[in-house]
Structures are given as structure tokens and as C-alpha cells.
Amino acid sequence: MSALEVAAEAATAPAPLSLAERALLQFEVEQFLYAEAALLDARRYRDWLALIAEDIHYWMPIRRTVTNSDIEREFTKVGDMAFFDDDRAMLEMRVKKLEAGSAWSEDPPSRSRHFVSNVRILDVAGDEITLEAAFHLYRTRLNTEVDSWIGRRTDVLRREGESFRIARRHLFLDQTLIRATNMSTLF
Amino acid sequence: MSALEVAAEAATAPAPLSLAERALLQFEVEQFLYAEAALLDARRYRDWLALIAEDIHYWMPIRRTVTNSDIEREFTKVGDMAFFDDDRAMLEMRVKKLEAGSAWSEDPPSRSRHFVSNVRILDVAGDEITLEAAFHLYRTRLNTEVDSWIGRRTDVLRREGESFRIARRHLFLDQTLIRATNMSTLF
Amino acid sequence: MSALEVAAEAATAPAPLSLAERALLQFEVEQFLYAEAALLDARRYRDWLALIAEDIHYWMPIRRTVTNSDIEREFTKVGDMAFFDDDRAMLEMRVKKLEAGSAWSEDPPSRSRHFVSNVRILDVAGDEITLEAAFHLYRTRLNTEVDSWIGRRTDVLRREGESFRIARRHLFLDQTLIRATNMSTLF
Amino acid sequence: MTLRCGGRMQMADGATGVEQGWDRASILALFDAEAGWLDRRVLSDQALYQLELERIFARGWNFMCHDSQIPNVGDYFINYIGEDQVICVRGEDGEVNVLLNTCRHRGNALCRAEQGAAKSFVCSYHGWNYALDGKLIGVPGQSSYFHGDLDRSQLGLVKAAQVDSYLGFWFATMAPDAPSLHDYLGDVGRTGIGMICSYGDVEVIDGIQKNVIDCNWKIAVDNLFDWYHVMYSHASAGSAGIFKPAEILHPNNQLVMLGEYGHAISGPGLPSERQTQIDLMSDEERIEASRSAPANSQRIRPRLGAELMGASGVRSMGHPNIFPNLWITLGGMQVCLRLPRGPSKTELWWFTIVPKDAPASYRKVAVWTAIHLFGPGGLLEQDDGENWSQSTRASVGFSSRQLGQTLKMGLGHDRVTVDEHGQRFIDTRINEHAQRWLYRSWTEWMAARDWAELRARHSPAPEGAV
Amino acid sequence: MTLRCGGRMQMADGATGVEQGWDRASILALFDAEAGWLDRRVLSDQALYQLELERIFARGWNFMCHDSQIPNVGDYFINYIGEDQVICVRGEDGEVNVLLNTCRHRGNALCRAEQGAAKSFVCSYHGWNYALDGKLIGVPGQSSYFHGDLDRSQLGLVKAAQVDSYLGFWFATMAPDAPSLHDYLGDVGRTGIGMICSYGDVEVIDGIQKNVIDCNWKIAVDNLFDWYHVMYSHASAGSAGIFKPAEILHPNNQLVMLGEYGHAISGPGLPSERQTQIDLMSDEERIEASRSAPANSQRIRPRLGAELMGASGVRSMGHPNIFPNLWITLGGMQVCLRLPRGPSKTELWWFTIVPKDAPASYRKVAVWTAIHLFGPGGLLEQDDGENWSQSTRASVGFSSRQLGQTLKMGLGHDRVTVDEHGQRFIDTRINEHAQRWLYRSWTEWMAARDWAELRARHSPAPEGAV
Amino acid sequence: MTLRCGGRMQMADGATGVEQGWDRASILALFDAEAGWLDRRVLSDQALYQLELERIFARGWNFMCHDSQIPNVGDYFINYIGEDQVICVRGEDGEVNVLLNTCRHRGNALCRAEQGAAKSFVCSYHGWNYALDGKLIGVPGQSSYFHGDLDRSQLGLVKAAQVDSYLGFWFATMAPDAPSLHDYLGDVGRTGIGMICSYGDVEVIDGIQKNVIDCNWKIAVDNLFDWYHVMYSHASAGSAGIFKPAEILHPNNQLVMLGEYGHAISGPGLPSERQTQIDLMSDEERIEASRSAPANSQRIRPRLGAELMGASGVRSMGHPNIFPNLWITLGGMQVCLRLPRGPSKTELWWFTIVPKDAPASYRKVAVWTAIHLFGPGGLLEQDDGENWSQSTRASVGFSSRQLGQTLKMGLGHDRVTVDEHGQRFIDTRINEHAQRWLYRSWTEWMAARDWAELRARHSPAPEGAV
Ligand code: FES
Ligand code: FES
Ligand code: FES
Ligand SMILES: [Fe+3]
Ligand SMILES: [Fe+3]
Ligand SMILES: [Fe+3]
């Protein structure tokens, strides 16, 4: 792959858009992602659910430490085991659990901070935007627990009026051993 | 709250501006915030002070681990105890202390890195812009000390000519127990 | 330095450009940096090399804990010792090593995540753009090793057709003692 | 190969929990089976933990992997015996070898991946090359630098003293004098593994979830027998709708089996009358009924179930634990290993298992269930970790660690029944029999200096009143 | 409830600092009061630290909270006795209960918030329910699963052996045979708390600052008596203008009080002549004068001051410490707890206190002062932490830990005066009397196996030459 | 100043590796020199590590810095003796003082920078002021608060017991009875340092790379003698082209020198015939030849080389180690210190050195070579760390730590030759003589209670067959 091709791939993927159009789309998308993150960090789970498309695939496969020769097995495949493999009903169930007065493991509630970085729009097809970002979900609990989950994610956003809904979120964690008691926080 | 409302809140708050105007404002604001952060990281405290409005409220309340039923007491209120509750005079005093030849606890000086992420302009009213961001202040000292302070902040920037001054900075840390010897670094 | 001057320095450096032009340039540059980071995180080292200018200076001096009175010696100078002081041939050698079937220390390979934040374009001169950013390179290895390298970097990008090449990358780490087994990951 | 014998420091009179050694009497006093009282220091004492690595983990049979994870010659899976890392690899002869993952030259780890396939194991330090059975087959410079006099036959990878499998589940022990796997498992252990295989040969689905909890491994084992916490701990999971407590719990139909050396099964059990009805169904009907609701606790097992689990064991809808740390759950659809990482740290590894011939639809539901109930993101499992870590933490403080845990539920109220085939079980309500058995066995393992002593002095599986 | 008696390992001759036990003689030798020499290992030795948790923290009276923090029935505040977490809760009877925060079933923590209000404490693991006084009032399945035979009366939350308050400040001890709080505090302790309440009833302002410093807790206690470091350590705070050293220090007017069991007060003191003038002012005049400058060290206390602090104690503008770890500062406007978290880790908790009837303006200044002088962001406090952590660190290295600390200032140069009411005090210059008293008392606490021995063998408050 | 004598706990019979003390016999048994067998616990045992700090690091001569790093009065560089931090400072008299970096008052660290220049050392806590030779020259309030009776002469900074330099390289020891630096280094140590200075006076280039590896310090020392791993470990660096193994390795021309107290040199050596040719060249020719390829292992040293390294030593193209932890590499162009930070943590400090009069072009190549071969970003060094950390880790697990390391290469196959000047060396192939010598010496250091015993009982440098 030549430098030009790489650069082309990197910088010009959604070809038909002008630079200015792409910049504005980037702005819209980033603002949406930040607002979405803020809802989670503010524990407004119901409001967050409103941003989730009916057909969402919310998925975090398991990563493994493998050799280079085995690198295609680094992540589990769709249909095999995963940390998350949720549809909308499942996400609703997660929110319902968080809202239940009896979710002892989230009472006192966790404190989360979702950092969304390096956002790149990879594709615009009809009303769907595919993007990639680096994420850092920082969570503290009680006075002593500190967790950081870091990785890459690909989202599909679907334009709906003035805003978007999230139609896909695939989360690729960097860690292979989860160094946390649980993952009770939404990503 | 419907998805539309959330999206509306998220994406269209400063209503009268066009998307392009909002994108440009976002650019200006982010560049200002990054430049400000760079001044602190370069230990140019005097220059940083020049960005501070006369009437700034620089405030970091205390966060507590509380149950859901008590969640409105998660942060202390203005007027109660806090980690920072500074006006401009107090910030000047902090800078003066850092500049004093005798600030032993900052000699050797700390090394800081201010990450400003997820910037969202929440309101534009007259010459004042209210924004929210996620912050990560990373500090190292000597060869062994490493601190990370992570949270959310809301700033008010006031336009002054080609630039801004900071008229408010409210810092909402995620940690409830400060895992550091001190907070001698400006946020 | 007055507030105005600071602001001016911060916000108007590449003077001849309009705000909109600067915003578009910022978008282009950020997208390039994110795409570049994604290549490294995807272990596409050859493709990454294609983004490197022939005359690159890829340099990470050694930082020391020094007193305020000695602060100009905080970083080693060009020509003295450093962690990286590479030209393109050297970077090619690094990539060659990573590609060698026998790079045992990178087999299983590391997992990296490059966070590029607070990007500021400091200068535009001809086809060269000088920028500064905060970086966080997060690396995990095996099931237990976690490293974070955080600091500031200045890049020079040179426009080449629709994309850029990296003509300079100077990395200023915050840590003085490297808390890692090695730095086998590209920054 | 002979391991150097590691004796233990004599206990100084009045030594503190933090520094002391432990003699037989003081170990046995850690659990009072008659009173249902457990000394909290079992969760936090550093010396006890070191002793566990030696007397429980190195000496017991540890679960390694399932046949299906390493189907081909050279396929390997990394696991642990206590804190010793081992390679479980399919040898040239098709057998599974369990090898300490440490080069005999300078000790470097041979394998650093979690799984993979190898022709042989080459050390990344100096290139010593070991065959899949651990034999040292290549030493660079053997003739030139070593002058040909390195005795390679003495320098193979250390093999587990015994390796064996039951129904495709491989186990290993570092103790040459341990009983055979068959005898070690006994009826209860075999019933537990039988539960997994009641619908025929199984395979492990790709992807082992692994996470770390700041708790002692035993509080996690205690919890698997604990059907008492379900209603309260998991109330929010219930109200969210992920499971229906009433369909699962059956508080008054609990079946407990206690096996020699600490194995146990505890949890809901079908009433014998119900089993009698099932016995009249054809295998096809049973499988059909089971597969329609794989997460459901109504285990309508085919005939094979009773063969593997026994006429009484087959009634179990509960949780077997193969002592020390292999939990079988979801009626055999998952197993979870609890690997010790210090007195207050445990790794949890989740394996998801389906019958080889299960239809895609079943497989899909199985994966869905496994992901959404258990593992760090599972709606049930989320609730457990902090209870365990906080319980572990409360065994550290000076005053708190003077206290005991209370394990009195059902104590003295039940009887062990022996069925016509000699299988022992307890039909009762929700109870703590299995936990008491766990800790009673644990003290006996810990107090015994070697297998001879453990064999001679351990409690037989209970009979009569319990 | 009886705590299991924890004896100590006998000291092996020539044992290393890292592993050894400590006998009476070796503990007493850690501080040479005559020479003003302190063995550095008191800051880093792990065995000494474990012994501190037992012999200092579990045995002494620990500050819990102030009345105003938990005004209503069910209000609670979490604190620690050493490393044992306790719930301080207002009971149905209005009294404060101090309960070990650990369920008697499996040990789980009942409360996980730092503060709050509860009707009762329900355990998140199995739902055992404890009343505000710790009584076990609810056990799910008590009749069904436990067959009604669980003796709940034996399974309440463990209460501190003694709980009592003085002027609204609650303290607790795990030692049933400890002296009463009144006797424990003695004149010096009561004077210290009296300082806080000299202007009448007080309340704690919402918001306890908490941070962790990598230092031994004792170097932080030493520092509170240390008016010697102010000029140098805090020079930059002075030059920034946050405080005026000259107005605060009064190096030649220092008042020291040394109390039984290790309490002490040290720092500037009004000359008696100045106090005589104040005694002539009306309460109104005094309060007016004080409130105009609350951070100012000129303490012009109303009559109540002398009542609570004594005729001599009222002159103190210094720092009381209630042994072991409660510092009273800013003339009573703040207290700071130093909670041990290992030999080289200490949590600092800052409480800010104002008279209940203080006008808003005073309150505002008090909060401003507290935030900007102390706590992790305070301009004074910023300077201290690294000195403490570096001093602690220098007690670890093999050669450095052979050294001592030097505590010789004023040694042998002063006399204890007894006033007409029997109150003892030392009028002198800047000195290290209080630090020497701290460590002398500390060795006595550490060497005594129980309260009987501590009572019998501890030094009485000094008389005559010091 | 006298350090308090720290004896060692008697070894309890059968004590475990984790808690036990170590007596002479058990220490000597850790390495079997005849069998080339090393007990893995030397890499992980906490008690052995503590003993190393005392018996190896405090007692041996530790490299401090080079003359050129602190050229002017007041220039200082911070280093360590074991885990004790020391200030190496150029005194008023031009000599280098080595001072424990801890104030004699409360122990605070005087210097917190890694390097710098000072007129005197003022403590940031209370302002005690120490001269560059450690004398306590200023105490605030000495007359007023201390009443003039503080004996400052007893309270200077603690100086290393002996400080001396060889060819500009400064060393220090805490042991007053250690041999002189000259005697300590012996022929082998002096040869090693001589290698650095063969081209004349040198200077250290600005910038010491420092990083931490999770390994025991000894595995890193073992590795520097290890020319066996180069082909395999560094294969990818070779194939990337950063070095040409064939030009460097010379597997059949290895020169080994073993020096009293554990020093050694190992690696390629010029055949004597080649050296004879070189001896015929002029110094100018030799320097010209060397400088054209500074990274090249062909060391064509000027006459000075043979003066400093001896007629046989000058042939070395290998790696000297000054016992315990100073590695000389790249033919003297770099030295690397390995500082212990616990049994499984080591700091690596890289110093890059060039002749003072080297032309800019040489200097440039030297820096390029140093950066790109060694240090955490170096293409060679990258490959080593994980092998060391994994080897260290494999000395922890219960079963793995029962094993040994194998150090048998060349054992019994070689002879020590003594040249006409009395210099001893071994001409051989790739081997493990130096590593065996390292561990043999290490056990002797560890077993000896004091220098008298070490002097009396250590092995002399080997003669004859090895
Ligand atoms: S350590 Fe494995 S070959 Fe040397
Ligand atoms: S642990 Fe509290 S109810 Fe079981
Ligand atoms: S500790 Fe150095 S002057 Fe007090
Ligand atoms: Fe559970
Ligand atoms: Fe202070
Ligand atoms: Fe190497």
C-alpha cells in the first residue's frame, strides 16, 4: 500500500462529501457522541436508551493474548462467547436493573467518565454513518476502586431528524484479562 | 424524555446558530481551551492568569460515596467545604506561591498534562459561552509519583476581543478520596 | 505578556488564514493524525511507514527531575542521549524488526492505543504545518502488563497531495523514569 | 522429577495471624463444624495462603481444559495449578500433556499466549526446544558449547505428576501419590461432570471470559453452593426480568451431595416423583423439553443423565464443585474456575459448553444465557463480586478478623439418605451443608502433611444426621 | 462479645527489622527520651505497624464524629478504628452507636456509603437486617431455612466496647477495660476539645476532605506539634500572602501541655499578662474581637474558654492532639484525623467546625480559611506532604534505617509549672517537648500487653524539669 | 558514624522460602558450582533480598558516577547503594563526597532532583543546612530554640564509609572494613574500567536513560555474560540489520576472566595472533581503525589499552561486570547499572561514554549506537526484558520454585591460563563460566557475616581447570 493510498483511505473515504461537509458532519457526530457519553456519566440511563436504535448490536468480543501466527483468533467471532452481545431488549434490561431500587452492586452507584477520542468517520451510506473511535471508560467505586477500560470501538449512527440513533456499537477492549470486579457500567 | 428531545438537547442547544457557526465556535473554544492547558503544562502561570476573568469562580466541591437515595448530597454545595473555592485573588496567590523561590514542594516542579475531551457548548448567551468537558489531569513528580485526576468540568468563557477569558470553572472530580499527597497543580 | 497577547498567540498564530480555513485545516490535520494512530494500533507498520517523510526526525529526549534553577536542563538536547533519535532508515529498521518472524519480545504482539488530544496548529509555512498535541500511548501485553506513556509532542506535517507526511515528531514524555520493560511500540 | 520437599515453619506460641506458621491443631481449629463457625483469617492470612498453594492446589486435581479446546496435535491451552502456570497440550500420541511453563535452562516462560498451536516449544531466551511431551529435543550449541555432555533427559519440561481425563475434561495434579482421578472425583465429582455430559459429548465454545476480583477464592466457592443469597443479592436482576427466581430457586426442594475430599453438589433438586415421571419419557421427548429452555433449571435429562449422575444425582438442578475450585453451573452449560492470586485476589475463568450435536438454535440460546447471566458483564454475576471483596476485606482489620463467619443453616436438621445404588444425598430446604463440608475438608487438606496423612485422616463422606 | 486474644511472636535474637517480633525492652529502646533519639524503624517496620493497630488503635479512644454530623435517628457516618471500618449511627434512643461494619454472617460490609441515613442496616449479600443499635432483627428464612434455631442475640453487629462523647465529639474504643473517656482525655485532652467549643456549641460544616499521603501516621502527628518547620517549609505560602508568619508564630511565647497517655498541646500561647487583660473584657467584646479575624491566632475567648480549657490552657493558640491521631487546629476551627493505612500510608480527614450561632460572615471566612490553608489544595498543607513521605521513605533503606531522628530541641531546658487550679503547662520558646512526649507515650502503649499493664507502667504527666 | 549492627533471624528448621531466615549452609547450598545448578529462590525470596541489601550492596563498592558528570564544586548526581539514596557531590576540595540523602533531624530527603548544582544542601522541612562534605553548618534557631547545645558535629550527613575513584569512575561502600577500591577491583575490575579508558580520558554524555523491569537484578547481571542468547533472543534485531551477529559473536573466540569477589569479564576475545598484529600498529593507526566503526566489536586499542587492561585483557571484546551490578558494554562506550528495587524489580541506568577528545563524528556514532542498541527503545535491549521478567516470575510459583536453573555450559572443559604478567584468563568458546563465578561469589558474600569472614572464606580467583 503506497503512502498515497493510505492517506487516501485515511482522509477521503466518504468521497462524495466536500471537505467542509465532512468537517460539519464530523462536528455533528462528535457532539452527538459527547452528549451520549454525558448522559451515561450523569446516570441518565433512560435518556440514553432513547438514543439506541431498535436493531442495535451492542457487542464486546473477548480478546486473547495470541501469537502473531494466530492473530486472526485475537478476538472471538460473532456468535461465540463475548462480554456483551446485546440487542435493545437486553440493554433495556440492563437499564431496568440499574433503575431497580435493589441493584445493591450499584448502590452506592459507580462514577463513570467516558472519554471519546480519535473519532474517524469511515463511511457514510444513506442515513448511516460508520465511525471508529478510541475510548477510555474510567470508573471509580466506593473510596478505593478504580478501573480503566481502554480500546477501540466502531459505531454505526443512523440519522433521525436532527439527531442520530446508535445502530451498532462494537467494542474492542485492549485488555485480555478484565482487571475489574464486574462491568456493570455501560460503555 | 424522548429520543428526539434528548437529541435536541444534545445537538441543538444554542439554537440561533447555524451548524456551521456552531462548528466554528466549537473550534475557537477548543483551541482556546487547548492553548490554556498548554500554558499550565508549560508552567507559564502568569500567562495563564491573564486568561482568568476578574470575577472567576474556580471551584471544586467534595464528592462523596453516597447511596442512590442520598444522591443529591453527592457533591458539597457552594458555601460548604470544597477542595477549591477560589476567586481571582486566590488564584493569583497560588501563582505567587508557585513563583516564590521557596515553594519547596514544587521544586523540583511537578510535570502536568491537561487532557481536555468531550467538549460540549451548552449555552451561548451574549458574550458568555457555557461549556462542559471531561478532563484528565495527569501529574508526575520526582521519579516515582504519578497522579491522575479525572472528572467533568463546566467552564464559562467570556469573549474578549479575539480571545476569551475564563469566568467560571467548576470541577467535579470522580474520586471521593484524593489519592495524592496534595493538589498543588492548577486544574 | 498580556492576556491579549497570550490569546493572540494561542488563537491566531497562522495569521493569514480565516477562522473557517483554520477550522478546516484543523479537521484535515486531526483526521490525518487519527488515521495514522489507527494504523499503528492496527499493527499496519508498513502502511504507517508510508506516511513518514524521507527526512523525518523522530526524537524523544530524556527528561530529568531537576530543580527550578536547573529547569533548562530538564530535557536532553539534540545530539545528546535520548530514548529515540531516529531517521527514516532507523524507523524502517524498527518496522523490519517488528515484521521479522523472530521478534519474540513482540510475539505475542503488544496491544496499543494512541490517544491524540489537544491538537493545536502552531504554524503553517508553505506546505509544512507545525502542531502540538498531548498524547497518551496505552499499551498492554500478555494478561498482566499495562503501560501508559503520557506527554506532549510536536509534529511537522508536510502536505503531499491530498494527504500529509510526517516530517518531524518530537516526543516529550512526562515521566523521568520509564516504568516499563521496554518501549517496543511506536509512538 | 522430584520436587524439593518444603517443610513448614513451626508455629510460635501466640504468633500473630500475619506472621505465624500453622500447626495441625491450629489449622483444624479454624473451622468448627459442630458450631458452624469459621475463622475469618482463612480469607486473609498470608501463611495460610502459601500453605494452600502447596497442600490444596499442588496436591489436588486441577481442571486444565476440555478435549474440544485442543483437538489437534500441538494445540495448547494455558492454565494454572495454584500460581504455577502450565501448558496443556495435545501430544503426538493424542494424549494431553500438562507441563510447567518454565524452561529448565533459566526458567523463562515457553508459551506467552493464552492458547494456540505449536509444533514444539522453543524458548525465546536461548532457543532450547521442547517436544510436545516436554522432552528437551534441541539445545543450540549442544555439541560445540556444551561439549555434548548436557544430559537432556534430565532437563525436559516438568510434567504434572498425574494427568487424566473424565468425559473429556482434563485434570492434573503435581502429587505422584494422589489417588487416581476416578477415585479422587468419587461419586460426587463424577456426578458433577456427568451433569455437563448428560446430553452427550460436549464442546467448549470459543472464548473464555477472564476477570479478577479482589476476594479470596474460597468465598467464591462458598457462594456457588449458596442458594440463600439469590433472592436478595440478585433481586434487581430478577426485577429486570433476566431470570425468574421462583422458577429457579425451589427453596424447599434442595438436593445436596457431599463427596470425599471436599466435592459437593448443592441446589434445587427435582422431587423424586417428578423424576419418576421423567423416567417414563423417551430420550427424544426429554431432549426436546430441555432444549426448549436451556437456561431453565428444569433439567429433563435423557437416560444418559442417570447413567452419569446416578439415579439420585440426576435429580440435581444445582451446582457441583469439584474440589477445590471448579464450579459447574447452568445445569452443565458453564464451568467456572477460580484461580488463586493471593489471599485477596481471584481470577475467574468462564467456559461455556454445549453438546456437540446441539442445534444452532440451542447453541445460540446457550451463548446468550452464558453472556447475560454470568461473567463480568452478566446481570447475575455483577451483583456478587463486591459482596465477596467486601467480605474478604472484613477479614483483615484487627478487630474484624477476630470474628468468625456463621455457617449454621440447617446444621443438625438433615439426614444423608443412601439410595439403592449406594448414592448418598440429602433432600432438604435451602441450607449450608455444602459450605460446611467445604471448610471441614479444607481444614483436613491443610492439616495433612502429605497424601498418606490426608488419606488416613480425612473425613469420609457424611452418613446419617448432618 | 469477646475478641480472641492475639498474642505476639517472641522476638528472635538478632531478628531483622523486616520480620522480627518485638519484646518490651526492644520496644522501649525505640525512643531514648533522655537523648531525644528516635529509631527510624518506628516509621517503617511492618510488625510494629501491626502491633500499633492492636495496642494503640484498638485499645485507645478514637474520634468518630461530631453530634452535628448525624443529628437524626438513623444518620450515620463511616469511620475507622485503625483499619477496622465502623458505622457511627444515631440510635433510636438518640445515643450514638459505633458498630463494626461487617455482617456476622459472611462478613460483608453493611454500609458502603461514606455517610447517609438508614432505618436499619440490611446486608446486600443475604439480607440480614440489623437495627441501629446493631441487634440482628431480621434473617430471611429464619424459621424455614434456619429452623428457628439461629441465636440472633449472639449475632448482632459488634459494638465498640465503649462509646462516649465530650462536648458533642464522639469517641470509641474496642477495649472494655480502657479508662472512661473523661479519664482518658484528662485535663489536656479536655482542654483540646474545649478549645473547639470555647465559643459555644459547634457544628461540622458539610464536606470532609480526604486524601492519602505516603507517610507514616506518626510523622504527621509529630508535625502538628512542630512550629519549628513553619518558617522554612511554608515560606512560599507566607510570601504569597496567605498567612503572616509573624502574626502566627510567636516563637518566644510557646505554651506546651503534656497529658497522661500521650495527649499534648503545643504552640503559641498568650502571655499571662495578655490573658489578664482579656479577662477584663466582656464576652461580647471578646467574641467581636475574635470573629473579626477567625484565622488569626489571637484567641480572645469568652469566659467559656477558661471554663473548658482552664485558666492556663485558655492561653493556648497552639495545636492539641488527642492521642493517638486527632489534631485540633486553627484554634478549634478544624480537626484532622490521621488514619493509618499501612506503615507508609496515611489518610487525612479534615473536619471544619463553626459555632452553631456564628453569623454567616464568620462562617464564610472560616470555610475560606479551612479550604485555603489546609487540605490537599490548601496553600500551607501543600508543603507538608512530601516532607513527610520523604522522611518515611528514608526509614526503609538498609543504611538509612539504622539512623535515628533527632528530637533534642529544648530538652532539659524547661520546667512544668502547675497553676493554682493544678493545671500543668510549660511556658517556653519553640521546642520539641510534645514530640518527645508523643514518642515516649507511644513506646509505653506499644510495650504494654494490656490496659492493666499500661495503667500500671505508663509515665505520669511530667512534673518539674523537662 | 557507626551503623547499628543488624543480625539475622535464625533459620527455623523446614521454614518455607517465603518466611524463613537463612544460615550459612543453606545459603551456600543455593548454588552448586560443581553441578551448575542454581536454586531459583535466589530470584524471588524476600528474606534473601533483604540480606542482599545488607551483605552485597551496603558492603560492596557501588558505582556512583563519573568525574565528568559533576565537574564543578557543588555539582551533584543522585545514585543508590542498594535502596539507600545517596548524593554524589563534588566538594570544595574537588573530591567527591557520597552522602546518605537523608536529613539527620527527621530524615527528610535533602535533594529531590536527579542531578544539579548546590552551594549547600538545605532541608526543605526545617531548613537545616549541610555543607558539600555533609557537615551540618546551619540550624535555624540553634541558639534560641536549641539553647546552643545541639552538637552539630554528630549530626552531619552520613558519609559512605569509603569513597574512591579509578580512572575517573567513583565508587562508594558503606563498609569501613571493606578492602580499598584498588584491591576490591583487582585485576579483573581494573581491566573492566580500563576498557572504557583505553582511548584516553572519557566523559559521560548528557542523559542517563532509566527504566524499570520486573525482574531480579541478578538475572540481568547473568545476562550480560551471556553471549549464548544473542543469536536467538536478538534474531529479529539481526535480521532488521541493526547488528551483524557474525561480526560480533565470535563463538569460538571467547575470552573469560574471573576476578576475586565476583568480578568477571566474558565475551568475544581477539585471538592472540590478531593482537600481536595490532601491537605492531601505531596508536594513530589503531585509533583511526577503531573510530571508523565504534560499534564494531573489533577493538583495536592504542597502547594505553594494554597498559590498563593487561596484555591478555586487552584482547577482550566482551562484557566486564564490576561486582555486583556495573556492566561495561559496547567495548566501554556504555555502562549500565542494575539497581535493586525488591526481589522482582530492577532499575536500569544507562551511561554513555566517549573519549574527551573524540571527534564530533565519533561522538555522533557513539550516541546513535547507544540509543539504538540499548536502553528501553534500543533494538537489542527490547528483546531482553521480558525474558528476564518471565524467568523471575517462574521462581515464585510453588512447584516452579522447587526447580533449579541450569548453568552447565563449558563446566569442566576449560583451563585458566596465566600470562607472563600474571594475568589470568580463559580462552574458550561460548560458555557459562562467568555466570557460575557470579553465583559462587554471591553465595560467599551472602554467607559471610562480615568483611573479616568474607575475606577469610571467599574463593580466590580460579586457577587451573574450570
Ligand atoms: S532460558 Fe530457555 S533456553 Fe535459556
Ligand atoms: S453476609 Fe450479610 S447476610 Fe450473609
Ligand atoms: S527534617 Fe531536615 S531540617 Fe528537619
Ligand atoms: Fe450470585
Ligand atoms: Fe506544616
Ligand atoms: Fe541481550
Side-chain angles (χ1 to χ4, degrees), chain C residues 147-158:
Chain C
D147 298 309
S148 273
W149 293 288
I150 284 177
R152 175 175 71 90
R153 78 182 199 213
T154 58
D155 288 354
V156 170
L157 304 186
R158 192 177 297 133

Side-chain angles (χ1 to χ4, degrees), chain D residues 171 184-185 188-189 192-193 263 320-328:
Chain D
F171 290 79
Y184 177 85
L185 290 174
V188 173
I193 298 177
H263 313 296
N321 186 58
I322 310 297
F323 189 88
N325 63 345
L326 181 69
W327 172 27
I328 294 153

Side-chain angles (χ1 to χ4, degrees), chain E residues 222 226 400 402 406 413 429, chain F residues 4 84 106 126 144 149:
Chain E
D222 164 352
D226 179 345
S400 305
Q402 318 285 331
T406 303
H413 288 280
R429 319 164 180 183
Chain F
R4 197 175 51 228
D84 284 296
R106 289 297 196 274
H126 308 88
S144 50
D149 62 6

Side-chain angles (χ1 to χ4, degrees), chain D residues 125, chain F residues 223-224 226 229-230 233-234 327 374 380-381 383-384 388:
Chain D
Y125 201 164
Chain F
N223 179 266
L224 77 91
D226 179 345
H229 81 291
V230 177
S233 284
H234 300 303
W327 172 26
F374 291 122
L380 277 190
E381 181 77 0
D383 293 321
D384 289 314
W388 304 347

Side-chain angles (χ1 to χ4, degrees), chain F residues 187-431:
Chain F
D187 177 56
V188 174
R190 290 192 302 269
T191 298
I193 299 178
M195 182 187 281
I196 312 173
C197 299
S198 289
Y199 296 87
D201 276 0
V202 296
E203 62 186 8
V204 170
I205 290 177
D206 193 40
I208 313 300
Q209 297 175 327
K210 301 179 181 177
N211 76 308
V212 186
I213 297 186
D214 289 337
C215 70
N216 187 277
W217 66 277
K218 292 186 294 301
I219 188 93
V221 176
D222 164 353
N223 179 266
L224 77 91
F225 296 126
D226 179 345
W227 292 78
Y228 180 44
H229 81 291
V230 177
M231 284 305 299
Y232 201 79
S233 284
H234 300 303
S236 63
S239 74
I242 190 88
F243 82 114
K244 298 215 177 61
E247 283 186 10
I248 286 202
L249 262 183
H250 310 284
N252 297 314
N253 290 300
Q254 297 281 311
L255 182 72
V256 178
M257 298 174 69
L258 309 177
E260 216 183 358
Y261 297 126
H263 313 296
I265 302 175
S266 186
L270 290 177
S272 339
E273 311 77 55
R274 174 73 183 114
Q275 185 61 43
T276 309
Q277 296 167 351
I278 292 171
D279 288 347
L280 299 173
M281 296 165 70
S282 74
D283 267 12
E284 290 66 34
E285 287 169 322
R286 300 196 208 179
I287 290 172
E288 172 67 24
S290 296
R291 291 219 168 133
S292 65
N296 193 314
S297 57
Q298 277 277 12
R299 308 292 170 196
I300 304 172
R301 301 187 172 93
R303 265 165 249 288
L304 181 59
E307 273 170 43
L308 295 174
M309 301 176 67
S312 300
V314 74
R315 295 194 283 118
S316 174
M317 305 184 292
H319 288 163
N321 186 56
I322 312 296
F323 189 89
N325 63 346
L326 181 69
W327 172 26
I328 294 153
T329 183
L330 287 177
M333 216 162 71
Q334 282 202 293
V335 302
C336 180
L337 252 187
R338 281 77 184 274
L339 295 168
R341 292 288 176 269
S344 62
K345 214 175 266 278
T346 301
E347 269 184 40
L348 271 58
W349 289 19
W350 292 90
F351 301 72
T352 306
I353 302 168
V354 291
K356 272 189 177 144
D357 61 0
S361 61
Y362 173 90
R363 191 186 150 102
K364 199 169 166 177
V365 178
V367 168
W368 187 94
T369 306
I371 291 176
H372 295 119
L373 285 184
F374 291 122
L379 263 64
L380 277 190
E381 181 77 0
Q382 283 177 19
D383 293 321
D384 289 314
E386 201 159 285
N387 287 335
W388 304 347
S389 57
Q390 293 289 328
S391 297
T392 300
R393 199 178 180 290
S395 65
V396 175
F398 173 76
S399 295
S400 306
R401 77 169 175 260
Q402 318 285 331
L403 305 172
Q405 288 189 15
T406 303
L407 292 91
K408 295 182 189 291
M409 203 188 295
L411 179 59
H413 288 280
D414 289 312
R415 280 197 78 76
V416 176
T417 308
V418 186
D419 74 13
E420 65 223 275
H421 310 287
Q423 199 170 30
R424 298 177 188 196
F425 60 93
I426 306 165
D427 270 316
T428 181
R429 321 166 179 181
I430 281 182
N431 63 86

